[in-house]
Amino acid sequence: MTSDATVPSSTYRLQIRGRFPLSAAAELADYLQALGVSAIYLSPILQATSGSDHGYDITSHRQVDPERGGEQGRLALAATARELGLQTVVDIVPNHMGVADAAQNETWWQLLRDGPDSQYAAWFDVDWKAGDGRIKLPVLGDDASDDQLSLDVTGPSAELRYFEHRFPIAEGTVKPGDGAADVHARQHYQLIGYRRADDEQNYRRFFAVTELAGIRVEDPAVFDASHAEILRWVAAGDVQGIRIDHPDGLADPAGYLDRLAAAAPDCWITVEKITEPGERLPAGWPVAGTTGYDALAEVNTLLYDPAAEAEVSRRYAELTGDRRTWADHVEQGKRMVADTILHAEILRITRAVRHAQPVLPHSDEDVAQALTELAVGFGVYRSYHPIGAEQLDAAAELAASRRPELRGAITNLLPLLSDAGTEISIRFEQATGAIMAKGVEDTAYYRYNRAVGLNEVGGDPGGFGSTPAEFHAAQLQRQQLLPESMTTLSTHDTKRSEDVRARLAVLAELGERWYGTAERLLAAAPIPSRAFGYLLWQSFAGAGWISSDRMHAYAEKAMREAAEGTGWRDPDAGFEAAVHRAVDRAYDDAEIHSLLDELITEITPDGWSNSLSQKLVQLAMPGVPDVYQGSELYDYSLVDPDNRRPVDFELRRQLLAGFDGPPPLEATGAAKLWLTSRVLRERREHPERFTSYTPLPVTGPAAEHAVAFDRGGAVAVATRLPVGLRRAGGWRDTGLELPAGRYVDQLTGEQHSGRARLADLLRRYPVAFLTRTD
């Protein structure tokens, strides 16, 4: 799978882009080395759509993106990393390519020009029959007309244009006197209205993004061509780790990973796989593990008290009128996307079913509805038949109970969907993942707002908190099964940064102090959806006084993702105006501003406690910890693109270099930087102290407010539920028995052995990180 030499002790994620190219990463490398990082973890660096801020819209697999620094920048970073003893991990995108501007993507351009006879026809997943031999491109606006198309024959080759969009012209298809509409009718593509994508899209996309076209890496030739440059970096010794983006979109994830592992046998490989509660990675995948969302959920729920769930649920329903369960929201969100933006995927599977079973005794409409019900009822992102067959059976039972009139169609579809490796089975597996992602992460997460800090990628908003015993059980399993898997607290895809979630967890402890404030805010600045209003005021509490521009941008994205009252396609001006007025009043209305300011001021110290606790736990727990760029200081970011803002690395560099002892627990976040650097350095310099996992029992009247574990010479102790701890009178006689030996707290320099009283151990910080000295 991976050799020990290539597994990093930690990673640091950098977003490489025009504003922060590879040369900037090379200049930062000495700071990362001083921080204690083992590997620089890069966002995608292959050539992407011009101006792309994220890099997941690859337009060419042949070279490093010039806007991101090009090959010269990559080589400079590789040389610097090697000199400093750092490894490099790269993020790669095997599932799709960027096609927003066809002229920037040679493979897509030639496909559009030459159609099924193109040398790149095998690259893309196109249902030519469904388009009568043409790819349908949903780019036209609602008021599109033929006179908006233009023909340009001035260049070396003719082009069809629609506003800024450019499309190729097949050879021999322009005749004297032709207008643009005449030429358009003879091409291998058809420009259609963007709304028609819901039903007529005939190429596989990344989720519902028409600008990202799926590619067929299951074809060995496509794999080889799309991975040659990446594997060249590996062979040169410049890359030691690979992160796989969205493996669930692939036709054959296991086959793909086998091929990649064979081509890069010494690489540390992780996959961006979202697992549901109780779900595990397929055992046969040749990877070190996931990119850490499972670990994030384990740490995040530790900040919540399971005993508070009933009150939190009751007050949420009373305040918002939303009495739907999490399961209700999941069903409704998935059904909405399956019936709209992803309906084309359902229809494509329906066509495959009809082709395979032309005498199936059900109408196409019934087949499509049965497939929709099965996808809506699917309990995980996808199966990998025969792995996950029980998920399909469970979905069938649920679907039939919801739509008994479709039971016959569901029953007859099961053998087809269970036949591993067939087009029907594969496409259904790809579709369920997309429907889960768009219907749950990007819809239900913005509708069910009981405690939005739990609405996180990889989490379970329908659950609540977890106990230290449950956390320990999860880590014992992690140590046994996935000791080299990545762990994380923040990523470019998380809905909120770790420090926003840390403050949000405090709200669940405040009880009526929070609910009373929320009720006053909901009344003072009414929004048509009280549930969305509840999300908005929680967002202010978690993020604090970020700029109004940032909060307005977040509110717009959040309410359109929720799609209850407004939406991306048809925004409701009245609804959105009410939300933006509420945001403005938070900053400008004295009463509302005061309510929020008092709340934020009150929860901030406990938020710092949670921030340090979860950071220590994540950095010290089993796995390879990742630090998302900038999160070594307090960072109050919301969903992308807010979490891709430029990072003040000079401030971080100065703070790290200027430490002459433990810093105070205060707003700059220096204590978090101090903690991060102490743990990362210890992991890099003494890996032998992180080879096992032993829960350390905490005893005494406040035992539930601490979690402690020994990794084999490194001991982590962290505070949880700080509001409840304070209300109960503090630690009093609570303590823990340290393992045999003498220990030094790397955060304070204090010596400890035997039974440690938490009132002493946690006097300066809410956390302690001890290493054995004898």
Side-chain angles (χ1 to χ4, degrees):
M1 183 169 60
T2 58
S3 68
D4 290 341
T6 64
V7 179
S9 63
S10 66
T11 63
Y12 190 101
R13 169 74 175 210
L14 292 173
Q15 296 297 115
I16 305 299
R17 48 194 165 176
R19 292 181 293 169
F20 190 86
L22 290 160
S23 58
E27 293 171 3
L28 189 67
D30 64 329
Y31 161 74
L32 299 181
Q33 200 274 344
L35 184 64
V37 169
S38 166
I40 302 173
Y41 169 26
L42 306 176
S43 62
I45 61 173
L46 287 173
Q47 185 164 338
T49 302
S50 181
S52 171
D53 202 41
H54 50 76
Y56 288 93
D57 46 356
I58 304 296
T59 56
S60 172
H61 296 95
R62 297 176 180 172
Q63 63 178 2
V64 178
D65 193 343
E67 292 184 12
R68 288 172 163 74
E71 179 68 0
Q72 182 178 357
R74 188 193 71 79
L75 290 172
L77 174 59
T80 301
R82 190 176 296 111
E83 180 182 344
L84 293 171
L86 296 172
Q87 297 170 296
T88 301
V89 177
V90 294
D91 191 346
I92 69 171
V93 189
N95 178 69
H96 53 268
M97 294 187 74
V99 297
D101 181 356
Q104 293 187 43
N105 186 327
E106 178 188 357
T107 56
W108 186 250
W109 183 268
Q110 290 197 29
L111 179 74
L112 297 182
R113 186 190 66 197
D114 301 332
D117 295 329
S118 168
Q119 63 175 314
Y120 294 110
W123 275 59
F124 296 96
D125 193 356
V126 181
D127 186 352
W128 293 100
K129 290 182 179 179
D132 293 327
R134 305 173 76 185
I135 303 176
K136 295 191 176 184
L137 305 178
V139 299
L140 302 181
D142 285 332
D143 57 351
S145 60
D146 286 347
D147 59 11
Q148 292 174 326
L149 298 176
S150 63
L151 189 63
D152 183 356
V153 294
T154 59
S157 59
E159 293 181 3
L160 188 67
R161 298 194 174 185
Y162 173 70
F163 293 99
E164 74 276 14
H165 300 284
R166 300 166 55 197
F167 305 96
I169 298 296
E171 185 176 353
T173 58
V174 180
K175 300 179 181 178
D178 273 349
D182 301 311
V183 174
H184 175 221
R186 302 187 190 109
Q187 301 313 306
H188 295 290
Y189 55 85
Q190 178 186 3
L191 309 185
I192 63 173
Y194 72 95
R195 294 179 187 272
R196 292 170 61 185
D198 287 1
D199 296 323
E200 299 181 43
Q201 185 86 51
N202 67 332
Y203 62 88
R204 185 173 63 83
R205 305 155 288 172
F206 170 70
F207 297 155
V209 184
T210 57
E211 295 86 1
L212 298 175
I215 62 173
R216 301 180 60 255
V217 290
E218 65 270 23
D219 184 318
V222 177
F223 175 93
D224 291 343
S226 60
H227 287 68
E229 179 69 359
I230 296 159
L231 293 174
R232 183 177 71 83
W233 307 338
V234 173
D238 297 338
V239 166
Q240 293 77 34
I242 299 175
R243 181 258 197 197
I244 310 300
D245 181 67
H246 191 48
D248 277 354
L250 305 180
D252 180 13
Y256 167 80
L257 293 170
D258 284 340
R259 189 174 290 118
L260 180 65
D266 293 327
C267 263
W268 179 65
I269 300 175
T270 58
V271 288
E272 186 212 20
K273 166 63 186 171
I274 313 300
T275 54
E276 291 297 293
E279 183 187 12
R280 296 181 184 177
L281 275 183
W285 285 10
V287 299
T290 74
T291 53
Y293 291 114
D294 47 351
L296 188 161
E298 291 162 7
V299 177
N300 191 33
T301 55
L302 192 59
L303 303 181
Y304 290 80
D305 183 1
E309 180 175 12
E311 180 192 20
V312 172
S313 299
R314 177 179 63 83
R315 294 298 277 131
Y316 169 64
E318 291 172 355
L319 285 165
T320 66
D322 180 12
R323 301 187 181 278
R324 292 171 289 180
T325 66
W326 170 240
D328 293 336
H329 280 284
V330 168
E331 177 189 353
Q332 291 167 16
K334 292 177 74 173
R335 190 179 306 284
M336 182 191 76
V337 300
D339 286 341
T340 56
I341 59 174
L342 291 171
H343 191 53
E345 314 305 321
I346 295 294
L347 294 180
R348 185 168 185 177
I349 304 168
T350 300
R351 292 192 294 271
V353 168
R354 185 59 65 193
H355 177 75
Q357 296 284 344
V359 296
L360 197 70
H362 309 286
S363 67
D364 286 355
E365 176 63 21
D366 281 352
V367 170
Q369 288 193 32
L371 289 167
T372 297
E373 290 300 326
L374 286 163
V376 169
F378 214 77
V380 296
Y381 277 71
R382 64 168 286 176
S383 58
Y384 312 89
H385 266 89
I387 299 171
E390 72 283 357
Q391 296 290 345
L392 181 60
D393 292 338
E397 285 301 313
L398 181 58
S401 69
R402 288 171 173 170
R403 296 288 302 276
E405 75 278 14
L406 294 174
R407 182 176 291 275
I410 292 169
T411 299
N412 287 331
L413 284 172
L414 283 180
L416 300 175
L417 298 173
S418 302
D419 192 1
T422 63
E423 181 186 8
I424 295 169
S425 176
I426 290 170
R427 294 204 182 284
F428 182 75
E429 290 178 324
Q430 291 172 307
T432 59
I435 290 168
M436 176 75 89
K438 294 304 296 179
V440 180
E441 284 181 42
D442 292 346
T443 304
Y445 274 18
Y446 294 92
R447 292 179 174 182
Y448 183 69
N449 298 316
R450 179 182 66 163
V452 298
L454 293 168
N455 295 13
E456 193 50 88
V457 181
D460 176 20
F464 199 71
S466 61
T467 65
E470 291 168 330
F471 176 80
H472 290 316
Q475 300 325 300
L476 288 167
Q477 184 177 89
R478 179 175 297 278
Q479 178 67 33
Q480 178 186 3
L481 300 177
L482 295 170
E484 298 173 354
S485 186
M486 184 182 284
T487 71
T488 191
L489 289 180
S490 299
T491 77
H492 62 287
D493 273 338
T494 45
K495 302 301 183 185
R496 297 159 189 86
S497 70
E498 61 204 62
D499 297 313
V500 171
R501 292 196 309 272
R503 284 211 293 223
L504 288 170
V506 180
L507 297 182
E509 288 199 79
L510 290 185
E512 285 305 316
R513 169 68 180 91
W514 157 242
Y515 302 127
T517 299
E519 193 159 22
R520 293 175 65 184
L521 290 167
L522 290 168
I527 293 172
S529 167
R530 286 177 66 88
F532 187 79
Y534 199 59
L535 178 148
L536 181 65
W537 300 125
Q538 287 178 82
S539 299
F540 269 104
W545 294 115
I546 63 175
S547 72
S548 61
D549 287 345
R550 287 174 58 197
M551 189 58 81
H552 275 294
Y554 170 73
E556 179 176 282
K557 177 169 182 174
M559 63 180 151
R560 290 183 179 179
E561 294 280 52
E564 287 190 321
T566 189
W568 289 109
R569 183 169 294 177
D570 296 299
D572 185 285
F575 185 100
E576 297 199 355
V579 172
H580 287 299
R581 279 195 302 270
V583 174
D584 283 333
R585 292 186 65 192
Y587 293 91
D588 302 334
D589 183 288
E591 177 188 2
I592 295 175
H593 187 88
S594 178
L595 279 172
L596 280 171
D597 198 54
E598 290 175 6
L599 177 69
I600 292 167
T601 300
E602 180 178 338
I603 68 175
T604 292
D606 292 319
W608 293 340
S609 177
N610 282 340
S611 286
L612 295 182
S613 289
Q614 66 177 354
K615 197 67 174 177
L616 173 61
V617 169
Q618 181 251 335
L619 293 178
M621 69 193 280
V624 177
D626 176 57
V627 177
Y628 183 68
Q629 61 174 31
S631 67
E632 63 270 36
L633 291 184
Y634 297 136
D635 172 64
Y636 298 99
S637 295
L638 297 167
V639 75
D640 71 286
D642 191 62
N643 58 18
R644 294 200 301 270
R645 301 184 328 283
V647 175
D648 187 348
F649 285 115
E650 186 56 33
L651 169 64
R652 288 157 173 79
R653 185 190 292 274
Q654 291 176 5
L655 285 171
L656 183 64
F659 283 141
D660 58 4
L665 180 64
E666 42 77 47
T668 66
K672 191 180 182 192
L673 177 63
W674 176 258
L675 165 66
T676 301
S677 61
R678 302 310 103 171
V679 183
L680 292 186
R681 290 176 183 179
E682 191 70 18
R683 292 199 69 140
R684 187 179 65 195
E685 295 165 14
H686 293 285
E688 73 279 2
R689 293 176 176 166
F690 296 87
T691 57
S692 62
Y693 186 90
T694 304
L696 296 181
V698 179
T699 58
E704 66 176 339
H705 293 281
V707 60
F709 53 85
D710 175 22
R711 292 299 320 281
V715 171
V717 184
T719 301
R720 60 187 294 267
L721 311 178
V723 176
L725 174 64
R726 188 168 55 254
R727 289 174 176 173
W731 293 114
R732 292 161 284 163
D733 293 328
T734 305
L736 62 87
E737 190 71 31
L738 291 172
R742 299 191 61 81
Y743 290 80
V744 61
D745 187 344
Q746 295 287 347
L747 305 181
T748 65
E750 296 174 352
Q751 302 282 333
H752 298 275
S753 62
R755 179 172 172 78
R757 296 179 69 251
L758 295 192
D760 299 327
L761 187 63
L762 304 180
R763 182 174 56 251
R764 180 157 195 164
Y765 294 130
V767 295
F769 176 58
L770 306 107
T771 57
R772 188 168 175 173
T773 60
D774 53 347

